[in-house]
Amino acid sequence: MTSSSDEDKQNQNANNADTVGRDKSNNSENNNNNNDNSNENKSTGLIASILDRATKSGFGRKKLNPNKVEAAVAKQMDQIHKSPEKIRLTVVGGGSFGTAMANLAARNGCDTTIWVRNKRTVKSMTKTQMNKKYLPGYKLDNRLKYSYDLEAAVKDKDIIFLAVPSSAFRETLKNIKPFISGQSIVSLTKGMEKDTFALMSDIIKDELPEVNFGVMSGPNLAVEIMKNMPSATVIASESEPLRHAVQAALHSAFFRVFASDDIRGVELGGALKNIYAIAMGMAAAYDVGENTKAMLLTRSLAEMSRFGVEEGANPLTFLGLSGVGDLYATCNSELSRNFRIGNMLGRGMDIDAAVKKLGQTAEGVNTIQQVHEKASKQGIYMPITHALHAVIYEDKAALGVALHLMEAGFRSDVEFVMPHDHSNAALTAQMSAASSADDSEGNTDKKDSNNLKNK
């Protein structure tokens, strides 16, 4: 249950629900003012330069026009603030994270349903109050409801949390579309759609353009949440009432929910960090030192923010929970599915065998392909991503690729402080030339790599 101080905060938030339209208008005006101010102060020094880069990501936001769905959402959110315990929500997807979030909401007194496709699984969860496949041994709140009827699960709810793999996200939205009236959608999925590079927010806008939506991301290992280990997440949405409603539904003494309006940045942080968790898992298989881990972690963060800025995100978002927070947790825990995939790859298993052994979706496998292709086309400097692609999909020797990375040309450390214009093409050319110059050298590297693993 939430504490009395949490309830006071929720009641305070109620007063803001009626001013949603004005807030949206003010946000648009504030973005224009920030644009003017940053242009005037561009040359005033280092801090001004960084802030200028950070605020540019918000310039393209459009003022949202009110419509019937938004009016219905605003009315529902107002009721939620007045009586948080009456929040009606459904979590679509019975994986580990979706189950953990549904359990949190039920424990907070929300009217919570978790939808699972398989009828037999629903019967088992109802009987045992446990998700034996993904969270075995963890008892779920006895107020949590279970359903395999999609219409009954999502109809007349306030919020629908989608916790399905990225490959099933669009299909799931199409399936629930006939039952959408004034519900809000919140994505819990961290990944990208195969072949389209669409993030989950893009798919929501494609399939349900009038729906109020948000995305949630952060260092959220489901097992630790179920153990009541203090954790936190970020809800990103342009709708302040929706952000407050999600906070009311999930916030507890052991789980804090922070807010953001940078949907792109929060979502990219959650998707991109999966790439580097695979890299860190591979590194762990080689028993690398702490210096190497620190280097890999920080250079991964540099890649994430670099790519994010090109995609319209605020670079400062990557310094928060959905960026460096999620990156650290995923890259340093054997609970992480992507870390485990990388570790198996580092021990000599091929990608298909590793995925099969894991038995769950590791979003980073698909994300590597998507980001590699997009970065190559747009000339975004992503050496770690390209190196992983070379090892996993081009059968390059991991040790040889790592050595070529270390020998790459000089760069600045934090490019938002000291810009660096080195193009992606130069590194790609270096790696291609080095790997194709002598095939026998590559075979030797592979043998050395296997010998190192066996020690």
Side-chain angles (χ1 to χ4, degrees):
M1 297 295 291
T2 55
S3 65
S4 58
S5 62
D6 290 334
E7 291 174 359
D8 292 339
K9 291 177 182 176
Q10 290 160 12
N11 291 332
Q12 263 188 337
N13 291 335
N15 297 326
N16 296 329
D18 294 330
T19 60
V20 178
R22 292 198 302 273
D23 287 344
K24 288 178 180 177
S25 177
N26 290 338
N27 285 340
S28 178
E29 292 174 7
N30 288 339
N31 285 337
N32 291 332
N33 291 336
N34 288 339
N35 189 0
D36 294 339
N37 291 337
S38 62
N39 288 335
E40 291 173 4
N41 298 325
K42 253 183 183 179
S43 60
T44 59
L46 176 61
I47 299 299
S49 175
I50 295 173
L51 292 176
D52 177 56
R53 289 172 178 269
T55 55
K56 278 182 178 178
S57 62
F59 289 173
R61 293 178 186 157
K62 296 179 180 179
K63 182 178 178 180
L64 299 178
N65 295 319
N67 56 49
K68 292 181 179 180
V69 174
E70 287 179 334
V73 169
K75 182 178 179 181
Q76 288 180 348
M77 293 301 107
D78 182 46
Q79 293 171 352
I80 284 169
H81 287 307
K82 292 174 181 176
S83 303
E85 72 280 359
K86 293 183 180 179
I87 298 176
R88 303 163 302 171
L89 62 87
T90 289
V91 176
V92 176
S96 56
F97 186 53
T99 301
M101 292 300 99
N103 190 62
L104 270 178
R107 216 167 57 183
N108 281 349
C110 300
D111 180 356
T112 309
T113 301
I114 184 168
W115 177 86
V116 182
R117 186 189 303 273
N118 189 285
K119 185 176 181 179
R120 183 177 297 178
T121 302
V122 169
K123 287 183 176 180
S124 172
M125 293 175 76
T126 303
K127 182 179 179 179
T128 63
Q129 290 184 294
M130 190 180 297
N131 188 334
K132 289 185 176 180
K133 182 176 181 180
Y134 295 108
L135 291 171
Y138 295 96
K139 208 74 173 175
L140 302 175
D141 192 274
N142 57 15
R143 290 164 290 186
L144 182 57
K145 303 171 187 177
Y146 310 92
S147 176
Y148 55 86
D149 183 336
L150 188 60
E151 179 178 0
V154 304
K155 205 170 183 180
D156 299 322
K157 297 296 189 291
D158 300 306
I159 306 173
I160 301 170
F161 291 91
L162 289 187
V164 298
S166 60
S167 57
F169 199 89
R170 189 181 294 274
E171 179 188 1
T172 303
L173 282 178
K174 289 179 178 179
N175 290 339
I176 68 173
K177 186 174 183 176
F179 318 124
I180 294 296
S181 51
Q183 303 98 313
S184 294
I185 303 289
V186 174
S187 168
L188 304 182
T189 301
K190 300 175 179 179
M192 299 172 181
E193 187 176 45
K194 190 175 182 180
D195 300 327
T196 67
F197 191 74
L199 294 170
M200 302 308 104
S201 61
D202 297 323
I203 301 175
I204 294 172
K205 287 184 281 188
D206 285 347
E207 301 298 333
L208 300 171
E210 291 187 328
V211 165
N212 199 39
F213 73 92
V215 300
M216 211 171 84
S217 190
N220 302 146
L221 299 169
V223 170
E224 292 189 2
I225 294 170
M226 293 300 296
K227 288 180 177 179
N228 286 332
M229 293 182 176
S231 306
T233 195
V234 179
I235 171 65
S237 176
E238 291 184 352
S239 166
E240 183 179 32
L242 177 56
R243 296 196 299 265
H244 290 167
V246 172
Q247 288 175 314
L250 300 178
H251 189 96
S252 73
F254 302 104
F255 192 77
R256 293 199 66 182
V257 183
F258 293 87
S260 172
D261 62 357
D262 183 11
I263 295 174
R264 204 71 175 172
V266 168
E267 202 166 19
L268 278 170
L272 295 173
K273 55 87 185 179
N274 291 325
I275 295 174
Y276 309 107
I278 292 176
M280 192 66 85
M282 292 179 69
Y286 288 95
D287 196 26
V288 300
E290 299 304 316
N291 286 348
T292 308
K293 293 177 185 176
M295 175 182 67
L296 184 55
L297 196 71
T298 50
R299 297 322 300 165
S300 296
L301 182 62
E303 280 197 19
M304 287 170 62
S305 56
R306 183 184 306 127
F307 189 88
V309 168
E310 292 295 327
E311 290 296 309
N314 187 327
L316 298 182
T317 297
F318 294 94
L319 298 180
L321 283 166
S322 62
V324 68
D326 203 1
L327 178 67
Y328 179 85
T330 310
C331 287
N332 286 280
S333 175
E334 294 183 3
L335 295 174
S336 163
R337 290 167 290 182
N338 293 284
F339 180 94
R340 281 182 277 165
I341 283 284
N343 199 257
M344 286 186 274
L345 293 172
R347 297 183 186 281
M349 197 177 292
D350 65 53
I351 186 65
D352 293 330
V355 170
K356 185 177 180 180
K357 184 175 180 179
L358 181 69
Q360 300 183 52
T361 302
E363 293 286 357
V365 175
N366 169 60
T367 307
I368 288 171
Q369 292 180 299
Q370 299 296 310
V371 175
H372 165 76
E373 182 178 345
K374 191 172 184 71
S376 298
K377 287 180 179 178
Q378 296 188 1
I380 306 172
Y381 186 70
M382 303 283 283
I384 299 173
T385 302
H386 293 317
L388 283 171
H389 190 275
V391 173
I392 297 172
Y393 299 106
E394 301 169 26
D395 199 31
K396 303 294 184 184
L399 189 59
V401 170
L403 289 174
H404 294 319
L405 271 179
M406 290 297 293
E407 293 170 353
F410 307 135
R411 290 189 59 82
S412 61
D413 180 23
V414 181
E415 59 204 74
F416 299 111
V417 175
M418 188 176 80
H420 187 94
D421 59 0
H422 185 61
S423 71
N424 197 47
L427 179 70
T428 302
Q430 287 179 21
M431 292 181 65
S432 297
S435 60
S436 61
D438 189 351
D439 291 336
S440 61
E441 180 183 348
N443 292 331
T444 302
D445 287 340
K446 209 162 197 175
K447 290 179 182 178
D448 292 341
S449 172
N450 291 331
N451 291 336
L452 183 58
K453 284 182 294 186
N454 294 329
K455 286 183 179 180

